[in-house]
Amino acid sequence: MPRILMTGASGGIGTSLRKLLPPIYPDLLLSDIKPPADLGANEKFKAADLADLAQCEAICEGVDGIIHFGGYSVEGPWDDILQANIIGGYNLFEAAYRKGVKRVVFASSNHAVGFYPRHHKIGTDVTPRPDGRYGVSKVFGEAVGALYADKHGLKVTCLRIGNFGDLPLDQRRLSIWLKPDDLVQLCRIGLEHPDIHFEVFYGASLNERAWWDNHRAYEFGYRPTGRAEDFREHAMAEQAKLKPDPVGDHYQGGAFCSNEFDGDASRIIDWTKR
């Protein structure tokens, strides 16, 4: 069986996948800057600071494939994102290359394209429109992944994850929800499909209100089992509790777009119509 490394094991997605991946990949190595509080006796863990290349090399030793969920997972100060996502992301790909890792599944984000309006359906080949420093770091990660795929032959899959969880929590998430089991399916495509070279997929379940054209994932065999509309009543009830957000409600990135926003709203909102 292949040895799979999963970074970000202490985070929200990593915590969920720690329960779902072992039956598929028994030789699963977990990593994060600190061990999970509930680390089991049978779980293998190596701590690593992604900003340190030597530590990245150490966790990549003897690894066949990587699921990279490590890093800074929300909007934050530039220095934090720089160290964890920019330097850390580069180090992870460089360490994988140096240690002969064959495949990397990179957790990108919908925030790499968050400034597209919700009425504008997009594919994976659009110009990036990040909605913050976090989104910029995900654009960078996708670019580094493409470089290592084309220049060094690493097989790279980037997943622009929507909103991961057991159910969609509001109206926006009805369009971008990702069921945990569906994320596992996407990871397996990246780690196992023979035709992967460099691909970008949207991390989304079967969402009738989707803003994204995810046909490339379907061409590689993706068949999501989660259906957002099954939770419509709950999501809309939660939406009714939220305050209106004129900027965030217009864009796919939601509150990431309105956070710190002080631009010309009328000009920026209409940019796709010009």
Side-chain angles (χ1 to χ4, degrees):
M1 296 297 293
R3 165 160 279 201
I4 303 301
L5 166 67
M6 183 177 74
T7 66
S10 298
I13 294 179
T15 297
S16 179
L17 293 195
R18 281 170 50 210
K19 303 170 185 176
L20 297 175
L21 288 176
I24 305 165
Y25 303 114
D27 194 5
L28 180 66
L29 175 63
L30 307 174
S31 186
D32 209 311
I33 198 164
K34 293 181 180 179
D38 61 343
L39 187 68
N42 294 327
E43 291 183 296
K44 302 185 239 354
F45 179 85
K46 282 186 181 180
D49 181 350
L50 296 175
D52 186 316
L53 179 57
Q55 293 186 42
C56 287
E57 288 191 58
I59 59 173
C60 290
E61 188 73 48
V63 166
D64 299 295
I66 298 173
I67 305 173
H68 180 41
F69 291 119
Y72 204 92
S73 62
V74 293
E75 183 65 330
W78 173 247
D79 285 345
D80 293 340
I81 290 172
L82 172 65
Q83 294 298 318
N85 294 8
I86 302 291
I87 295 174
Y90 172 80
N91 284 348
L92 190 281
F93 277 103
E94 175 65 15
Y97 166 59
R98 292 186 183 186
K99 294 299 179 178
V101 177
K102 300 177 181 68
R103 294 175 181 253
V104 174
V105 176
F106 171 67
S108 185
S109 171
N110 70 96
H111 296 294
V113 289
F115 260 117
Y116 279 93
R118 298 185 183 189
H119 65 260
H120 190 72
K121 193 164 187 174
I122 60 175
T124 58
D125 58 348
V126 295
T127 301
R129 301 292 300 193
D131 52 29
R133 294 173 291 276
Y134 171 73
V136 167
S137 75
K138 293 304 181 180
V139 174
F140 175 83
E142 290 184 10
V144 174
L147 172 67
Y148 277 80
D150 292 336
K151 189 174 286 287
H152 301 302
L154 197 62
K155 298 180 185 300
V156 177
T157 305
C158 300
L159 305 179
R160 289 180 182 164
I161 295 173
N163 183 252
F164 175 90
D166 292 328
L167 74 168
L169 300 177
D170 56 26
Q171 185 174 0
R172 174 175 174 264
R173 291 175 173 89
L174 287 172
S175 299
I176 66 171
W177 177 54
L178 177 60
K179 180 181 176 181
D181 291 312
D182 292 339
L183 176 56
V184 170
Q185 190 181 155
L186 288 167
C187 289
R188 292 193 68 177
I189 291 172
L191 292 173
E192 300 176 23
H193 199 288
D195 296 329
I196 290 290
H197 169 64
F198 173 80
E199 293 293 335
V200 178
F201 302 147
Y202 283 105
S205 291
L206 184 59
N207 304 329
E208 295 176 15
R209 308 177 189 221
W211 304 318
W212 307 324
D213 175 0
N214 207 19
H215 76 274
R216 280 299 283 171
Y218 283 79
E219 288 175 359
F220 278 82
Y222 180 48
R223 298 295 183 267
T225 61
R227 182 176 177 271
E229 289 301 310
D230 291 343
F231 306 97
R232 181 182 62 82
E233 290 186 9
H234 172 81
M236 297 308 293
E238 293 301 306
Q239 180 67 33
K241 302 175 185 178
L242 302 177
K243 295 180 180 180
D245 180 357
V247 174
D249 291 345
H250 181 83
Y251 288 115
Q252 296 182 12
F256 276 64
C257 296
S258 54
N259 180 38
E260 303 177 14
F261 182 88
D262 58 4
D264 181 345
S266 63
R267 180 180 65 82
I268 295 175
I269 287 175
D270 291 339
W271 73 269
T272 58
K273 301 177 183 178
R274 294 182 296 171

